Structure formats: C-alpha cells, structure tokens
Amino acid sequence: MGKPLIYEILEKPASSSVIGICSLIWWFIQKRGIGYGDVGLSYEAAVDGGQYWRIITSAFSHISVVHLVFNMSALWSLGVVEQLGQIGLGVEYYLHYTLVLVVLSGLLVLGFYHMMIQRFKVEYFRRVTAVGYSCVVFGWMTILAAKQPSSKLNIFGVLSLPISFAPFESLIFTSIMVPQASFIGHLSGIIVGYSIAWGLIHGMNNYWAITMLGWIALVFVLSLKRTGSMELSFIEIEPVTDPSLPSVGVVATRNGRTLQMDVLPARRVADIV
C-alpha cells in the first residue's frame, strides 16, 4: 500500500504547486472560452508582434484535459527529483532549473521556427501556435535520465518506462500517436535538459533565480503593456512607428469615393507541447 496522498504532496511541494497552477489555469481557460491563439506561443505573435509574455503563458496553459492529465501525470512522477538532495538535486535545484527550462525551451522553440522560416523558407512555422508544459516535462525526463538512470517514469499509474530511454521513447511515441504534438517543442526541452545535466548550463542559485525571475516579470509586464494585451494605466510606453509597415487610412479621391483596405488574419495552426 502506498503512502497517503498528503504525504506525497509534502514530499513534492514544487511539483504539486506546478500541477495545481496548471490545473487552475486550465479551469480558467475553459470557463472563459480561451483558445490556442490567446495564450499560445507562435513566431508571428512573439517575434513579429513583440508578445514575449507568450513564452510564459504558453508553458502553463493547456486547452485539452487529456493533454493536461498526460503532462501532469508525467510531472508527478518526475517529482522524485525533489527527493534526491543527496545527489545534488532537491527542491531548490528543481525550482531553479524549472525556471531555466521554461524560458530557454521557449526561446529555443522560437529559434527553430526562425531557422525554418528564414533559412528554409517554410512559412508554415510562422503561425504554428504551441501550448503546454511538455517542454519542461521532457527537460526533467532528460535531467533525471542523466543523473539517475536507474529510475522509472510512471504515467497514469499503469505505464512504466526506464527513465534512461524515456525522453526519446516519449518523443517518438507522442509524434506517432498524437500528430498535433510538437516535435520541436519536445526536442527543445530535451536539448535544454541535456545542457543542464551535462553542466553546460550551471551555477543557478537563489540570487540568480530571483534576478532571473525579476527580469522575466519585467519583460512580461512591459510586453503586455506595449502590445495592448492588457490595460496597465500605471505604465506608460511611448509608441514607436515602424516605417517598414504600410499605414492604413482613408484616401479621398476626386469623385468622392474612398480606397479601403481590409486585412484578414492568417489562419493559425495549433501545436500541443
């Protein structure tokens, strides 16, 4: 017989908190009828539109309950990282590098999109919109695989995978079984995870975590204000006009008619990460 749930929650406080936050956000999204395009990460919105706040909102948002349950089930199993303080992991390590995984995996996704758009001229990736916590989940799978290869990853309490193969097994499995799953998003989490596990990204402590969190909060709020996504009356940002963009207006002609230009929004493609 396993431990009572309350004891497991106390042993995994960070994982339990993230699961609670993601679940509350999912409930809010369902209640308000929010869609992929409102909270998801796309090159068009984040890079072209300056909506950098989407790097954060996309990570913690889930539209489908199945997507939420799958990610949170895997995350609950990966919460064992919080109990491995004796090998240099633990709760602080988990919190510090979760912050790194959220930000760097989102930036890496945008980097891959940029390469596909600019280098290979695949415009499809300009409008692909990704949501979900899978980048972070795959990152922690990878870190645990490198640090504790004897561990097992339990999903839904019925599927148990050797953690040493779990990142790539899950990458292939989800790509085959869920066509909408973001291969780029999952791969980005794996790359950042290995960078952390192999020491290429290191040195995070409370000082750097708080500093990083402060910069994230500042960029988040300023980009919300700048893009008009939220009214923040106490912040004033002087608008800057981009001369390379065409202006739309009413043009008077001699016969009294006007020239009108309608801009139709491009269709977005949803990606589950």
Side-chain angles (χ1 to χ4, degrees):
M1 187 174 178
K3 296 180 183 178
L5 180 61
I6 186 64
Y7 289 112
E8 292 203 48
I9 290 173
L10 292 174
E11 289 177 349
K12 305 174 182 178
S15 302
S16 301
S17 298
V18 172
I19 290 169
I21 290 168
C22 288
S23 299
L24 283 173
I25 291 172
W26 173 82
W27 175 82
F28 181 80
I29 284 172
Q30 299 305 309
K31 187 174 177 65
R32 293 297 183 93
I34 294 171
Y36 291 99
D38 300 311
V39 293
L41 179 66
S42 71
Y43 188 91
E44 186 176 57
V47 179
D48 296 340
Q51 297 177 4
Y52 308 120
W53 50 267
R54 289 178 178 271
I55 293 173
I56 306 302
T57 59
S58 63
F60 293 94
S61 300
H62 297 79
I63 308 299
S64 162
V65 66
V66 174
H67 187 204
L68 173 73
V69 171
F70 183 86
N71 276 353
M72 296 305 104
S73 175
L75 185 63
W76 177 257
S77 182
L78 291 165
V80 69
V81 170
E82 299 180 62
Q83 302 167 351
L84 296 174
Q86 70 275 13
I87 63 169
L89 302 181
V91 177
E92 278 194 10
Y93 183 94
Y94 185 90
L95 289 170
H96 294 165
Y97 287 99
T98 290
L99 192 62
V100 173
L101 281 165
V102 168
V103 175
L104 292 191
S105 60
L107 291 174
L108 190 55
V109 166
L110 292 175
F112 275 122
Y113 288 168
H114 181 81
M115 180 179 67
M116 296 303 294
I117 294 165
Q118 302 297 333
R119 176 70 175 173
F120 298 102
K121 310 301 180 184
V122 184
E123 285 296 314
Y124 164 84
F125 287 98
R126 189 178 296 277
R127 292 180 296 277
V128 171
T129 303
V131 294
Y133 202 70
S134 301
C135 288
V136 181
V137 169
F138 273 77
W140 279 119
M141 276 188 206
T142 305
I143 293 169
L144 194 58
K147 299 281 189 180
Q148 191 81 353
S150 60
S151 299
K152 296 279 188 179
L153 177 68
N154 295 304
I155 300 176
F156 301 124
V158 294
L159 180 62
S160 182
L161 300 173
I163 194 65
S164 54
F165 300 110
F168 294 103
E169 285 177 345
S170 300
L171 180 65
I172 295 168
F173 176 79
T174 53
S175 297
I176 294 171
M177 298 303 294
V178 187
Q180 276 188 306
S182 174
F183 181 87
I184 288 177
H186 297 168
L187 182 61
S188 296
I190 291 173
I191 291 172
V192 177
Y194 273 124
S195 298
I196 293 169
W198 292 342
L200 300 176
I201 299 172
H202 64 281
M204 282 293 288
N205 53 34
N206 289 335
Y207 171 79
W208 288 114
I210 292 170
T211 301
M212 186 176 179
L213 189 61
W215 279 107
I216 291 169
L218 180 63
V219 173
F220 186 92
V221 172
L222 290 180
S223 64
L224 270 176
K225 174 68 177 179
R226 182 176 177 273
T227 58
S229 303
M230 182 178 290
E231 283 297 325
L232 301 170
S233 57
F234 56 91
I235 299 177
E236 291 294 335
I237 299 177
E238 185 177 348
V240 178
T241 303
D242 187 344
S244 65
L245 297 176
S247 59
V248 180
V250 178
V251 180
T253 60
R254 294 174 62 185
N255 58 10
R257 295 180 181 177
T258 59
L259 175 64
Q260 189 174 18
M261 183 171 73
D262 295 327
V263 179
L264 298 177
R267 184 168 175 247
R268 293 182 183 274
V269 181
D271 234 3
I272 298 172
V273 297

